[in-house]
Amino acid sequence: GRELSSGGCRTVSPETGSHHAIRDHTSTKRIHPMSKRIGMGKVGTERPSIARPVNAHYRTLKRRLDTSVSCLLLPIALPVIALCWILVKLTSRGPGFYVQERLGQHGRRFRIYKIRTMYLDSERYGICWCRPGDPRITPVGRILRSTHLDELPQLWNILRGEMSLVGPRPERPEI
């Protein structure tokens, strides 16, 4: 078990009941073992055996939450995605979906799915960031972007484990 002392976090051995403190890699100050996960410092000179299972447990829990939420939202989102797709197809030429290669965790490449919000072939002169009032965005695309409805197909990427609901934005390999 664990107990928090005034000097930081102490771990209590279940067998003996003895206490030992977890210390920072670079200093002698005591810190809470969860601080590494939330970016407040490094955990112990000698990594406690408890640090890795907590991290693995966190990743497993996060993945289960991502899967559960995407499974619940995807059936509700499908009619909205279909309506958005139809609007895009009726108002501009080209496909309704936009598929793009992105870099995921550890540099793993995957294909991200979105509703297309720009005119077809809008990057023919090269890749550039979208800017306010960008003429490449369709009128329907402006609405979809402002409401974030163009990102609903990414629930499929979350369900497949390529993305997470919470985390850094996967960037394009070119950027």
Side-chain angles (χ1 to χ4, degrees), residues 61-129:
L61 182 64
K62 183 176 179 182
R63 178 69 192 127
R64 285 185 182 164
L65 183 66
D66 284 344
T67 304
S68 301
V69 171
S70 60
C71 280
L72 288 171
L73 290 180
L74 207 49
I76 297 165
L78 280 175
V80 178
I81 292 170
L83 180 63
C84 293
W85 181 83
I86 290 168
L87 286 172
V88 167
K89 290 295 287 176
L90 290 175
T91 59
S92 66
R93 64 183 182 87
F97 288 109
Y98 179 67
V99 181
Q100 187 179 67
E101 190 172 271
R102 295 285 179 107
L103 290 178
Q105 190 173 25
H106 308 298
R108 183 180 41 130
R109 293 175 184 253
F110 69 96
R111 294 168 58 104
I112 195 170
Y113 300 96
K114 297 178 99 174
I115 300 289
R116 186 174 54 81
T117 59
M118 290 188 173
Y119 289 105
L120 190 62
D121 203 23
S122 63
E123 292 184 336
R124 68 179 164 263
Y125 301 114
I127 299 167
C128 65
W129 290 97

Side-chain angles (χ1 to χ4, degrees), residues 14-174:
E15 298 84 27
T16 63
S18 65
H19 294 68
H20 65 277
I22 298 173
R23 296 186 181 273
D24 184 281
H25 270 293
T26 56
S27 72
T28 57
K29 97 177 166 183
R30 296 170 190 215
I31 60 171
H32 192 276
M34 297 302 282
S35 64
K36 179 174 182 180
R37 198 174 79 214
I38 57 175
M40 293 174 17
K42 296 179 180 175
V43 176
T45 341
E46 298 173 21
R47 295 209 175 217
S49 61
I50 201 160
R52 289 194 180 189
V54 168
N55 199 13
H57 176 70
Y58 171 76
R59 284 193 312 266
T60 302
L61 182 64
K62 183 176 179 182
R63 178 69 192 127
R64 285 185 182 164
L65 183 66
D66 284 344
T67 304
S68 301
V69 171
S70 60
C71 280
L72 288 171
L73 290 180
L74 207 49
I76 297 165
L78 280 175
V80 178
I81 292 170
L83 180 63
C84 293
W85 181 83
I86 290 168
L87 286 172
V88 167
K89 290 295 287 176
L90 290 175
T91 59
S92 66
R93 64 183 182 87
F97 288 109
Y98 179 67
V99 181
Q100 187 179 67
E101 190 172 271
R102 295 285 179 107
L103 290 178
Q105 190 173 25
H106 308 298
R108 183 180 41 130
R109 293 175 184 253
F110 69 96
R111 294 168 58 104
I112 195 170
Y113 300 96
K114 297 178 99 174
I115 300 289
R116 186 174 54 81
T117 59
M118 290 188 173
Y119 289 105
L120 190 62
D121 203 23
S122 63
E123 292 184 336
R124 68 179 164 263
Y125 301 114
I127 299 167
C128 65
W129 290 97
C130 188
R131 52 198 179 277
D134 198 321
R136 300 174 300 162
I137 301 174
T138 66
V140 170
R142 289 193 196 290
I143 296 167
L144 294 177
R145 281 180 173 226
S146 67
T147 57
H148 299 284
L149 291 175
D150 63 319
E151 299 190 18
L152 283 177
Q154 292 176 27
L155 288 169
W156 178 248
N157 293 109
I158 293 168
L159 186 62
R160 293 182 59 182
E162 298 165 331
M163 291 176 61
S164 181
L165 288 168
V166 177
R169 173 190 168 99
E171 288 298 339
R172 296 173 69 170
E174 301 88 14

